[in-house]
Amino acid sequence: MTAHAEDDVPTDGLPRKKFSGKKLVLFVILPLVLLIGAGAGVYFSGLLDSLLGKKEEHAEAPAEPAQPDPHAAPVFYDLPDMLVNLNSSGKRPAFLKIKISIQLAKGEDIPAIEHVLPRIIDNFQVYLRELRLEDLKGSAGMYRLRQELLMRITASAHPVKVKDVLFKEMLVQ
């Protein structure tokens, strides 16, 4: 007999049965994984605490800041009309007349906007004077203009939350 044959036959003379890989997975590993998963589910759902009779002790969490009501009436502030000379390569000058309204997060921000209004107008004037007629063409040009103005007003009125820049009137001559 070889060494392998001796391992398969126990000392009592009867052949020993081995677990196959499928049986091992089915009868040992699968129930073990299911028990661990069920235990984790009970623990994380909080059922274990109620079953053991533990009382939950909640520390007083600081009150969360109130979320703005999305259905609240929007707050708009009209900026003064602006007339700027556009950057034109021809001999004939081009002008842009624009009326802008900004949407604020809350009505209490209006005095803060009025306080920094000269800075906002200055930033707008400097940017608008560098625009060319080609920059304002099409909806893509309008979108870029809106995004640039929103970025500039957000930087100028920093603590104030400006939601949007709206064009009331825009005339290019």
Side-chain angles (χ1 to χ4, degrees):
M1 287 187 127
T2 63
H4 294 291
E6 292 174 3
D7 290 341
D8 290 341
V9 179
T11 55
D12 59 1
L14 296 172
R16 192 174 76 177
K17 292 184 178 179
K18 289 187 175 181
F19 276 114
S20 69
K22 291 180 183 177
K23 287 182 181 179
L24 180 68
V25 168
L26 185 62
F27 291 114
V28 177
I29 296 176
L30 184 63
L32 188 63
V33 169
L34 289 174
L35 283 174
I36 291 172
V42 168
Y43 176 76
F44 287 116
S45 68
L47 291 176
L48 187 63
D49 292 339
S50 63
L51 290 175
L52 296 176
K54 291 183 181 178
K55 292 183 179 179
E56 295 183 18
E57 296 178 13
H58 291 291
E60 285 295 322
E64 292 183 21
Q67 295 294 329
D69 184 14
H71 302 294
V75 178
F76 296 103
Y77 181 79
D78 293 335
L79 297 178
D81 297 354
M82 287 183 260
L83 178 65
V84 293
N85 188 9
L86 295 176
N87 187 2
S88 62
S89 59
K91 292 184 178 184
R92 186 172 174 200
F95 295 97
L96 170 68
K97 181 180 179 186
I98 190 166
K99 291 183 182 182
I100 297 174
S101 182
I102 58 174
Q103 182 179 357
L104 302 173
K106 51 189 174 181
E108 297 84 38
D109 292 336
I110 291 176
I113 289 291
E114 289 174 344
H115 183 71
V116 293
L117 191 59
R119 182 182 306 145
I120 293 169
I121 292 173
D122 179 62
N123 284 342
F124 281 10
Q125 291 276 348
V126 169
Y127 174 70
L128 293 172
R129 285 184 54 86
E130 290 301 317
L131 288 177
R132 298 178 308 245
L133 285 173
E134 298 83 40
D135 297 332
L136 298 172
K137 289 189 178 177
S139 61
M142 294 290 291
Y143 179 78
R144 280 192 304 269
L145 178 62
R146 174 176 279 125
Q147 293 305 321
E148 283 290 331
L149 294 178
L150 182 60
M151 182 186 68
R152 291 174 194 293
I153 196 167
T154 302
S156 297
H158 171 48
V160 175
K161 174 84 170 119
V162 178
K163 289 184 165 186
D164 202 2
V165 172
L166 306 161
F167 298 122
K168 292 177 77 175
E169 182 182 327
M170 190 165 151
L171 178 67
V172 179
Q173 283 186 338

